[in-house]
Amino acid sequence: MTITEFLENFIRKESLFKNKSVLQSAYFPEEVLHREEQISQIAKILAPSLRAERPSNIFAYGKTGTGKTLTIQYTLKEITKISQRENIPLKHVYINCKLKKVADTEYRLIAEISRHLGKNIPPTGLPTDEVYNIFYKALNNEKKIIILVLDEIDQLVKKVGDEVIYNLTRINTELKESQLSIIGISNDIMFADNLDPRVKSSLSEEEIVFPSYNAIQIQDILKKRCAEAVKEGVIEDGVIAKCAAYAAREHGDARRALELIRVAVEIAERKGLSKITLQELDESEEKIEKDRVVDIITTQPKQFQLVLYSILMIAERKKNNDPIFTGDIYSLYKDLCNKTNLRPLTQRRVSDVISEFDLLGIINAKVISKGRYGRTREVNIVTNDAMNTKIISLLETSLSL
DNA sequence: CGAGATTCATGTGAAGTATACCTTTAGGCTTAA
DNA sequence: AAGCCTAAAGGTATACTTCACATGAATCTCGTA
């Protein structure tokens, strides 16, 4: 079959999707299932904002894929509808703190919020105080109640400490025209315990817990979305149930379950099938994990890639699941640097690089003491053998080894 | 045999450096009166 | 003389390095039973 034939076939063949975007993570549904409780709690807490009173700060937590972000955005959207209709001075700003180079330091976070308020702030060069000043002014100019949503706030605090949050919660005392209220979203349930008590008490004036979905709830969500997104009969009986059961058993992660289905359908489409089966579901799972890792890896700087490559090579060499230690990684990394004419980073820095990979979830690294034989990080790779081979060759091309 | 002391390999914090980028300011040049 | 542009000066955040000290359990040491 020639390429032309293939492409012609492809358009002629009907897509299995009715509307693929419904299954994509950016999709914003009309209705949020199984979060009635949380929605009403949030609405109650935020309602005073419609009377131009500052609502309490909210701290929302729950595992990934439990609908935190969605629920909060949904509620805010409803409130905004009303505030616009009634001409109530209310505004909300949503920031994801995890995004590298966007909101992962104090400076960048404040700068990013200010940008949402219409200020132009350079990526570097200004004193942080100055950025705070611009931020105060921007807030005051709004003359509004401002609800600031900080998603993945735990990531931010892990990196730069809780002082930023403290400053933000205290800012109201200096504001005359506007009032700021904060909604913090965290995946890490233990997160709040490590906060400065002052920060903790002011951030979590109200707490909202998002429990994991159970299998039945995930199934509901899947059915609803699939009905909109995919054509009738594409999804074989039992596939949704299986997928839901699987997701519920793992983490109760609805986002993942949705993605699993979407990718499974894409795979089926590519194979020229008319419906998906458990087989595609399995393949889908593998593909998602691979895409995630590939995405992370390719966006890392060369030095980081080389560190990861070293880790994988050592893992490969050992074959069994022996743990890998920092020293081995560093010496291999240094050799490779010499071969590639890259200036090696210091061990101190590589140590941080390794823990960044840990944070990204590509590897598992924990600090252990080997008694007499010193202390080190014990690194384990999370991905399976087949994928490692792929990653290795990907890295080899990228690093031209 | 068991309580302390020792030891190793690296973690980790603090301070310093290079780089990239920002604002301000002082000349220098152009322009219009 | 006023206006505009440019380049230097002075300042900052960030990624990384350098330096120095902290860690913590396996192992060693040595007094005691």
Side-chain angles (χ1 to χ4, degrees):
Chain A
M1 187 167 30
T2 68
I3 298 285
T4 329
E5 272 170 0
F6 170 81
L7 292 173
E8 274 172 2
N9 258 334
F10 184 83
I11 4 176
R12 209 163 306 123
K13 190 178 270 163
E14 270 190 62
S15 163
L16 300 179
F17 288 105
K18 265 193 273 186
N19 178 3
K20 195 199 264 191
S21 66
V22 174
L23 286 178
Q24 277 162 349
S25 57
Y27 178 72
F28 199 85
E30 291 294 312
E31 187 187 359
V32 182
L33 294 178
H34 301 297
R35 284 294 175 241
E36 296 79 14
E37 177 68 19
Q38 284 75 16
I39 291 177
S40 92
Q41 277 185 47
I42 297 169
K44 277 176 195 159
I45 297 165
L46 295 183
S49 64
L50 291 172
R51 272 194 242 125
E53 293 165 22
R54 189 189 85 86
S56 298
N57 293 332
I58 300 178
F59 178 56
Y61 57 92
K63 292 187 187 159
T64 38
T66 50
K68 298 179 295 295
T69 307
L70 187 62
T71 305
I72 285 168
Q73 289 196 324
Y74 174 80
T75 316
L76 280 173
K77 198 172 159 196
E78 293 298 309
I79 290 180
T80 309
K81 265 189 212 162
I82 297 179
S83 76
Q84 277 176 353
R85 198 179 62 211
E86 305 284 325
N87 227 352
I88 297 161
L90 177 67
K91 180 165 188 172
H92 69 265
V93 174
Y94 173 87
I95 306 275
N96 188 332
C97 305
K98 192 178 65 177
L99 297 178
K100 221 177 172 181
K101 303 274 186 185
V102 174
D104 60 347
T105 68
E106 180 174 20
Y107 179 98
R108 300 214 258 238
L109 174 69
I110 304 298
E112 183 62 18
I113 304 171
S114 306
R115 278 185 210 116
H116 279 271
L117 299 175
K119 297 284 171 180
N120 210 358
I121 299 198
T124 170
L126 293 187
T128 307
D129 296 3
E130 185 57 25
V131 180
Y132 267 105
N133 277 334
I134 297 173
F135 176 54
Y136 287 134
K137 275 188 199 138
L139 278 177
N140 247 336
N141 283 341
E142 291 284 339
K143 301 193 179 25
K144 280 179 180 169
I145 301 284
I146 293 158
I147 298 174
L148 172 63
V149 184
L150 297 176
D151 205 345
E152 318 234 14
I153 196 174
D154 47 326
Q155 303 278 331
L156 178 74
V157 172
K158 231 178 249 168
K159 265 197 110 166
V160 295
D162 50 17
E163 205 179 322
V164 202
I165 315 293
Y166 180 68
N167 291 338
L168 283 174
T169 55
R170 253 195 25 176
I171 208 169
N172 279 315
T173 57
E174 314 196 10
L175 288 172
K176 298 207 172 63
E177 308 283 352
S178 302
Q179 290 280 285
L180 179 71
S181 138
I182 301 171
I183 301 182
I185 305 179
S186 163
N187 292 322
D188 181 357
I189 293 155
M190 304 307 294
F191 162 72
D193 298 340
N194 303 324
L195 283 174
D196 182 317
R198 289 174 306 175
V199 177
K200 188 183 172 188
S201 68
S202 55
L203 177 62
S204 51
E205 288 170 342
E206 302 281 351
E207 285 191 18
I208 295 188
V209 185
F210 285 77
S212 298
Y213 294 112
N214 63 35
I216 300 170
Q217 293 169 332
I218 293 189
Q219 200 170 340
D220 273 353
I221 296 170
L222 288 179
K223 273 184 184 154
K224 180 142 187 277
R225 294 266 193 119
C226 287
E228 280 181 63
V230 182
K231 296 205 171 129
E232 311 287 320
V234 168
I235 298 173
E236 203 174 55
D237 280 356
V239 170
I240 287 194
K242 195 85 182 181
C243 182
Y246 185 73
R249 180 156 35 87
E250 292 288 300
H251 316 282
D253 185 340
R255 187 190 325 165
R256 193 174 157 76
L258 289 165
E259 200 183 4
L260 212 55
I261 295 265
R262 191 197 81 227
V263 174
V265 176
E266 283 172 5
I267 290 173
E269 208 166 57
R270 208 160 300 164
K271 283 186 183 172
L273 302 175
S274 61
K275 56 184 181 177
I276 61 169
T277 63
L278 295 178
Q279 167 75 28
E280 279 73 46
L281 218 52
D282 286 344
E283 287 174 32
S284 164
E285 180 166 27
E286 213 167 289
K287 183 171 190 303
I288 289 172
E289 178 62 10
K290 190 185 139 210
D291 287 354
R292 188 182 78 87
V293 174
V294 165
D295 186 58
I296 294 174
I297 291 171
T298 47
T299 52
Q300 295 301 322
K302 281 234 174 338
Q303 297 284 6
F304 284 50
Q305 292 185 2
L306 201 52
V307 172
L308 185 64
Y309 181 74
S310 307
I311 294 172
L312 290 172
M313 285 314 275
I314 293 173
E316 188 87 336
R317 204 175 296 162
K318 291 198 168 170
K319 268 301 174 197
N320 46 9
N321 271 359
D322 280 359
I324 304 163
F325 304 116
T326 308
D328 305 334
I329 299 171
Y330 188 66
S331 56
L332 178 57
Y333 161 78
K334 221 159 113 184
D335 286 355
L336 289 168
C337 274
N338 287 331
K339 280 187 196 139
T340 11
N341 280 333
L342 236 60
R343 197 168 57 82
L345 299 176
T346 50
Q347 179 151 349
R348 176 72 186 81
R349 181 63 186 145
V350 170
S351 174
D352 284 348
V353 171
I354 293 174
S355 49
E356 272 190 56
F357 276 128
D358 181 40
L359 234 58
L360 285 170
I362 288 189
I363 60 173
N364 269 319
K366 76 172 188 242
V367 181
I368 55 151
S369 175
K370 290 189 293 168
R372 184 64 207 275
Y373 305 104
R375 79 203 304 252
T376 182
R377 271 202 180 76
E378 188 180 272
V379 176
N380 283 294
I381 41 183
V382 281
T383 47
N384 61 41
D385 284 356
M387 195 181 302
N388 288 339
T389 333
K390 285 180 195 156
I391 298 172
I392 287 177
S393 63
L394 179 76
L395 285 172
E396 279 171 356
T397 351
S398 160
L399 298 163
S400 52
L401 282 167

